[in-house]
Amino acid sequence: METLRMIVDIAKCVGCFNCLMACKDEHVGNAWLPYTDGQQKHAQKWIEPTRHERGRAPYTDLCYVTRLCRHCDDAPCEKAFPAAVRKRSDGVVLLDAEAARGNRELPAACPYGMISWNEALQTAQKCTLCAHLLDAGWREPRCVQACPLRALSIVKCEDAAFAEIAENQGLRALDDGPGKPRVLYKNLHRYTSLFIAGALTFMDGGIEKAAAGAKVRLSAGGVPLAEADADIFGEFKFDGIPRDTGAFRIDCALDGFKDLRAELSVGGESVCMEPLRFERA
Ligand code: SF4
Ligand code: SF4
């Protein structure tokens, strides 16, 4: 049977917040019962791009991680409150609007903080994946439709087909927690891992120039890990480095110059190296 899943591509999101605004437009002041009551204008966000920075100037790297209910297959919220949570055959997880009313314990049942409390209506609420629209024939919820970069997408397919998509696109869950999420992330390394960046130069007639095209090799414990060419600014970057991985070595080569070598250590932050300068051979 074909079911729904969402893919969030962190490399595409620019933090325009159109998804959040589309969600507000759809749900604030509108009660789509029996799917959900209306959303509060300010006190609730059923979808939210959150900003994440890595590195430091001049090697800063910014991404946005858009968070929403994962529509878990093995939902902790459903386990805690089976009478208030309904898992549909298409994969969508809904809170029962009547059972959620007055249930102040419901928000704590989501380990990811995706159930919020509507103080005005005294009810617990979350993303419905715009199930009222899907049931009316829409192919995607409002947030997905409103995303100008297609950073959000809906996939409807069999489990086996999605497993292949997940494998090919390197999709991962945002959190290590329970639940078997149906919202998976592409390019998650922009959020979970670190990078090593630096710049290479050489002197030419008293002017310091960028060593564009220099060969850069990354290794650890004598094992080669990756290679890169310095760009037009002489800069290089190795991404996807796990935290707290310890000692690395950078070897750099440029025709007509002596090889360069630098040792560095990776802890909890990305490494922004001081510029390295080639000396003539
Ligand atoms: S993300 Fe939270 S609210 Fe959504 S289905 Fe999973 S446990 Fe329930
Ligand atoms: S609409 Fe798309 S690009 Fe804009 S913040 Fe949301 S996910 Fe990111």
Side-chain angles (χ1 to χ4, degrees):
M1 179 188 176
E2 292 189 332
T3 58
L4 298 162
R5 290 179 175 85
M6 185 186 282
I7 299 173
V8 181
D9 189 343
I10 290 180
K12 286 184 178 171
C13 177
V14 293
C16 69
F17 289 78
N18 271 14
C19 48
L20 187 154
M21 295 310 293
C23 182
K24 291 285 173 195
D25 185 55
E26 187 63 27
H27 293 284
V28 173
N30 297 321
W32 299 115
L33 292 169
Y35 300 91
T36 182
D37 275 307
Q39 184 183 146
Q40 282 187 302
K41 191 172 182 182
H42 299 296
Q44 292 178 293
K45 289 172 186 161
W46 294 354
I47 183 168
E48 184 177 21
T50 54
R51 181 183 162 114
H52 177 71
E53 284 183 33
R54 298 186 299 166
R56 58 179 167 77
Y59 306 114
T60 48
D61 178 299
L62 179 66
C63 72
Y64 287 84
V65 179
T66 299
R67 300 168 191 271
L68 68 158
C69 168
R70 280 74 159 158
H71 295 275
C72 309
D73 276 349
D74 194 15
C77 60
E78 185 183 20
K79 282 196 173 127
F81 294 99
V85 181
R86 183 161 63 94
K87 177 79 172 170
R88 301 192 344 167
S89 58
D90 62 0
V92 174
V93 172
L94 293 177
L95 299 186
D96 182 279
E98 279 312 309
R101 210 175 304 283
N103 187 344
R104 282 189 168 273
E105 309 301 317
L106 252 174
C110 174
Y112 311 114
M114 292 299 130
I115 301 178
S116 55
W117 184 251
N118 185 324
E119 190 62 33
L121 297 176
Q122 291 294 299
T123 192
Q125 294 175 303
K126 68 170 195 68
C127 159
T128 63
L129 218 66
C130 288
H132 64 292
L133 296 178
L134 299 176
D135 289 353
W138 284 49
R139 294 173 61 178
E140 50 195 26
R142 286 286 307 274
C143 56
V144 174
Q145 191 200 43
C147 179
L149 280 301
R150 302 306 288 169
L152 307 177
S153 55
I154 287 286
V155 179
K156 186 174 187 182
C157 64
E158 305 272 348
D159 287 355
F162 189 77
E164 200 169 319
I165 292 171
E167 171 76 18
N168 291 341
Q169 299 194 22
L171 304 183
R172 290 167 54 197
L174 179 58
D175 310 274
D176 291 332
K180 295 189 190 159
R182 279 185 171 260
V183 177
L184 295 178
Y185 290 74
K186 188 173 178 181
N187 293 309
L188 191 61
H189 69 275
R190 294 275 304 273
Y191 174 62
T192 57
S193 69
L194 307 176
F195 65 78
I196 297 168
L200 301 167
T201 67
F202 64 91
M203 297 303 291
D204 184 17
I207 298 172
E208 188 171 26
K209 293 187 174 176
K215 304 287 179 198
V216 190
R217 274 201 325 260
L218 178 72
S219 61
V223 178
L225 298 175
E227 291 186 3
D229 288 352
D231 65 15
I232 192 171
F233 303 108
E235 294 180 349
F236 62 87
K237 183 176 182 180
F238 295 105
D239 208 342
I241 311 282
R243 291 173 193 280
D244 300 315
T245 33
F248 288 85
R249 197 174 96 183
I250 298 277
D251 289 282
C252 313
L254 184 66
D255 284 348
F257 293 83
K258 295 177 188 169
D259 289 351
L260 282 175
R261 174 182 298 175
E263 311 278 347
L264 56 98
S265 179
V266 173
E269 301 285 340
S270 291
V271 177
C272 304
M273 301 171 64
E274 293 299 317
L276 300 169
R277 186 187 291 170
F278 283 104
E279 301 293 338
R280 293 196 179 275

